[in-house]
Structures are given as C-alpha cells and as structure tokens.
Amino acid sequence: MSVGIVGKKQGMTRFFSEDGQSFAVSVVSVSPNIITQIKSKDIDGYSSIQVTTGEKKLSRVNKAELGHFKKGSVNPGEGLWEFKVDDTQLEDFKVGSPLSLEQFEEGQKIDVSGNSKGKGFAGTVKRWNFKMQDASHGNSISHRAPGSIGQCQTPGKVWKGKKMSGHMGDEKKTIQNLKIASIDQKNNVILIKGSIPGSTGSNVILKPAIK
C-alpha cells in the first residue's frame, strides 16, 4: 500500500538502539485516519482517497463541510487530506474505514511533509544568512544592514528575486528518506530518526519514500 497517513508532531526525544547507539528522534502520534471520500477517474478525473483525523466541534464546522462529512457518515475531523492511488487500489478502500500505522514498518524510509515554523518578518542576516558588517571601528546603526541592492544607472533597478528582508518560515517543507526508528502500535506513536518540519502540535504527512 503506497498511501500515506496524517499524524501530529509531539516533539523530539532520544532513542537507544539495540547495539547501544543513541540518536535524536521526532515523536509523531497518529490517531485513526478515517476515509471520507474515494475519488475515481470517471467522476473526478483522478484517483485518490480523502481522509480526516481527530475531532472537531460541530459549532466550528460550516454547513458545506458538515454536509460533506454526513454524506460519508463520518464525524467531522480537523481537516481533509488526499492521497493519490492507482485505479487498481480503489477496491481496497471503503468510506468510513480507518488507515492505521500497520502500513509502515520499522526501518522503512519515509518522506515527511509539514508547515515549517513561522518566524515573522526577518532581516537578511537571519533569513538568508548574510554576513554582518563590522560591529566596531566607527560603524553606526548599520551592523545588520543588507548593503547595496541595485546599481547606479544601468540597468537602474532591483532585479526580481533579490534576497531581501521579508516573511520567513510558515512554508510547506518535505524532508525525504527519514528512517523509522520504532513504532508503538499500542499507543499509536511512531518515532522518526532526525528532525521533521513544523512546531509541536502541528499536523504532518507521512508517506513512503519516493526515492
């Protein structure tokens, strides 16, 4: 099965392997992913399964979302995610049935996607790792200034894509080929070697590695 699963990042900790090695792991809790819709090429133009996870108060669900969940006889969840599948795999899924951690195994390589931490408005030193100017010898109020951004007369403009100050973080990021260190089926927790995108409590998508 090549579909992924949606989990929630719970932070990081340390893991000890059987041979005594110690390394950092990211902790991801996975509540059952309930299938809300099955899309086919004949109706939707492509084949995929749509899932939701967690629970959401009815007062926080608008009428359009509520009707969508009721159509599949599924309780409203925190959001909707899709995983593309082959036409031949659609028969293996059923609306209302859950996806669990059983599709993954320890030692498997996976790709993890999530929204990186938002840093707000950042300068060039923090955002692009620019070098600072002298912190002494008469320099005043321009220690972290970006320096020149254009030319004098030719062509007399700032090129598009110039590395400058601006919004940093809060972007979808994917880290590939991370190794699953351990899976706790009883507590629905998966330990992934290394760091993954997102802050604690944010949703992440786990998929089998494509490379």
Side-chain angles (χ1 to χ4, degrees), residues 148-161:
S148 175
I149 61 172
Q151 310 78 28
C152 183
Q153 186 172 358
T154 305
K157 65 178 181 180
V158 178
W159 294 105
K160 288 184 178 180

Side-chain angles (χ1 to χ4, degrees), residues 55-193:
E55 296 181 357
K56 195 174 184 179
K57 290 183 178 179
L58 291 177
S59 60
R60 299 289 184 179
V61 183
N62 60 41
K63 288 185 178 180
E65 292 175 336
L66 188 60
H68 181 70
F69 285 116
K70 279 188 176 181
K71 186 177 180 180
S73 300
V74 177
N75 293 327
E78 296 178 358
L80 294 170
W81 295 266
E82 282 191 16
F83 298 105
K84 286 190 176 182
V85 295
D86 296 330
D87 295 336
T88 56
Q89 291 181 299
L90 291 179
E91 298 179 355
D92 300 334
F93 305 102
K94 185 178 179 181
V95 175
S97 61
L99 300 177
S100 64
L101 282 173
E102 294 179 357
Q103 59 183 300
F104 295 105
E105 58 185 16
E106 294 182 1
Q108 181 181 351
K109 294 291 184 69
I110 60 173
D111 297 338
V112 182
S113 301
N115 272 20
S116 60
K117 292 182 180 180
K119 305 292 185 180
F121 190 93
T124 53
V125 174
K126 180 174 181 178
R127 191 183 186 199
W128 301 111
N129 198 30
F130 276 20
K131 184 178 179 181
M132 288 179 56
Q133 296 185 27
D134 289 342
S136 60
H137 298 288
N139 192 357
S140 177
I141 321 179
S142 57
H143 310 288
R144 297 171 71 93
S148 175
I149 61 172
Q151 310 78 28
C152 183
Q153 186 172 358
T154 305
K157 65 178 181 180
V158 178
W159 294 105
K160 288 184 178 180
K162 182 71 175 176
K163 293 180 178 179
M164 298 176 67
S165 303
H167 184 262
M168 180 180 177
D170 194 22
E171 297 177 341
K172 184 178 180 180
K173 298 290 184 180
T174 300
I175 300 182
Q176 297 180 323
N177 294 327
L178 294 176
K179 185 178 180 181
I180 297 177
S182 178
I183 298 178
D184 187 348
Q185 296 282 0
K186 183 178 180 181
N187 296 310
N188 291 324
V189 171
I190 181 170
L191 302 182
I192 304 169
K193 186 176 181 180

